[in-house]
């Protein structure tokens, strides 16, 4: 049962434009959300997170938005750069739990 | 600072052979430790997690087992590998109960032939 869903397996964006990656979740107990970036044959690296008490968190070019009523979060990358090309995983956990539940990932390609 | 290492990075094993992947964490004590697997097109699947020495929780029934013989050491094993065990295995750690970021190792590619 997939509790975290990334419905777009791939996304292509031109360099300098905005990339928007989306994620939906079904478990209302989730209250901590993260985005990871992964290059082929490497472990995922932590990018940005947000807790349920916020609806927005910003770190440089990366902003995560959380809509709890819709059980939806998104990652915005502005401006997109070719080095951002990677697979992005959305993850979520409840504060009472340990492990993260991951989506299947969205492959982002930023073209020059 | 904390670091996590897992090995070997790649291995090719015949069906029916045993498996041992090792993972160690440095720079922290009493971490939560995890084994994830990334199979093709299936995202990251949690296999095992451990909150302390000798404490292992399994998330999915499978052909694999995990052990935590020391505080910062986590081992993934199998007595007899199946073709379906092929994948990219990731060890990870976090600092406490819930609401914490998980940090991943470099990953291990396993191909069962």
């Amino acid at each position: 049962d997939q509790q975290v869903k990334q419905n777009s397996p791939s996304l292509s964006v031109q360099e300098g434009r905005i990339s928007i990656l989306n994620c939906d979740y079904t478990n209302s107990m989730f209250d901590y959300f993260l985005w990871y970036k992964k290059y082929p044959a490497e472990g995922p690296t932590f990018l940005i997170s947000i807790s349920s008490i916020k609806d927005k968190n910003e770190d440089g070019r990366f902003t995560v938005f959380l809509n709890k009523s819709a059980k939806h979060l998104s990652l915005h990358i502005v401006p997109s750069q070719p080095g951002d090309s990677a697979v992005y995983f959305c993850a979520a956990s409840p504060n009472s739990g340990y492990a993260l539940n991951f989506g299947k990932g969205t492959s982002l390609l930023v073209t020059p | 600072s904390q670091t996590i290492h897992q090995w070997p990075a790649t291995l090719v094993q015949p069906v029916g052979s045993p498996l041992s992947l090792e993972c160690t964490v440095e720079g922290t004590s009493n971490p939560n430790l995890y084994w994830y697997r990334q199979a093709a097109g299936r995202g990251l699947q949690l296999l095992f997690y451990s909150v302390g020495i000798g404490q292992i929780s399994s998330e999915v029934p499978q052909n694999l087992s995990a052990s935590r013989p020391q505080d910062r050491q986590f081992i993934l094993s199998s007595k007899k590998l199946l073709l379906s065990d092929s994948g990219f295995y990731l060890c990870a750690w976090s600092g406490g109960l819930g609401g914490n970021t998980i940090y991943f190792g470099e990953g291990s590619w396993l191909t069962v032939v």
Side-chain angles (χ1 to χ4, degrees):
Chain A
D1 178 31
Q2 193 79 18
Q3 298 185 68
V4 178
K5 300 177 183 179
Q6 294 175 256
N7 292 320
S8 298
S10 63
L11 175 67
S12 183
V13 172
Q14 273 192 320
E15 182 178 6
R17 310 290 280 268
I18 183 172
S19 296
I20 300 177
L21 297 98
N22 293 303
C23 178
D24 298 292
Y25 61 97
T26 58
N27 190 337
S28 57
M29 299 300 291
F30 288 155
D31 51 14
Y32 185 61
F33 305 90
L34 309 90
W35 285 94
Y36 286 82
K37 176 180 179 181
K38 185 182 182 300
Y39 294 116
E42 294 183 10
T45 55
F46 169 69
L47 199 55
I48 192 169
S49 64
I50 188 168
S51 71
S52 58
I53 61 172
K54 292 186 173 183
D55 54 18
K56 176 183 174 181
N57 188 26
E58 193 171 352
D59 183 1
R61 297 187 295 115
F62 302 91
T63 303
V64 56
F65 295 92
L66 176 63
N67 182 335
K68 291 187 292 291
S69 61
K71 294 191 177 69
H72 176 84
L73 64 155
S74 61
L75 175 68
H76 293 208
I77 307 174
V78 182
S80 300
Q81 299 174 353
D84 296 330
S85 298
V87 176
Y88 289 79
F89 287 97
C90 171
S93 78
N95 264 337
S96 60
Y98 293 97
L100 296 176
N101 293 269
F102 282 86
K104 293 187 178 182
T106 297
S107 179
L108 173 66
L109 177 64
V110 180
T111 56
Chain B
S1 65
Q2 300 87 0
T3 58
I4 179 169
H5 297 291
Q6 62 178 103
W7 66 95
T10 60
L11 65 164
V12 180
Q13 295 283 100
V15 169
S17 65
L19 170 73
S20 181
L21 299 179
E22 294 194 33
C23 171
T24 59
V25 180
E26 298 295 333
T28 186
S29 58
N30 197 31
N32 299 324
L33 297 172
Y34 310 85
W35 280 109
Y36 280 85
R37 176 170 59 197
Q38 184 184 17
R42 296 192 62 186
L44 296 169
Q45 181 186 35
L46 177 65
L47 303 176
F48 301 96
Y49 71 90
S50 171
V51 300
I53 296 174
Q55 300 179 61
I56 308 294
S57 296
S58 174
E59 288 295 298
V60 293
Q62 58 199 299
N63 183 43
L64 302 168
S65 62
S67 62
R68 184 170 178 174
Q70 299 180 44
D71 181 44
R72 291 170 292 177
Q73 183 185 24
F74 207 22
I75 298 172
L76 184 69
S77 304
S78 173
K79 291 182 179 178
K80 289 185 178 181
L81 284 168
L82 306 172
L83 286 174
S84 57
D85 292 324
S86 294
F88 191 52
Y89 288 84
L90 291 153
C91 183
W93 75 276
S94 70
L97 173 64
N100 283 291
T101 303
I102 287 180
Y103 299 94
F104 287 88
E106 310 94 329
S108 298
W109 271 112
L110 169 65
T111 304
V112 183
V113 296

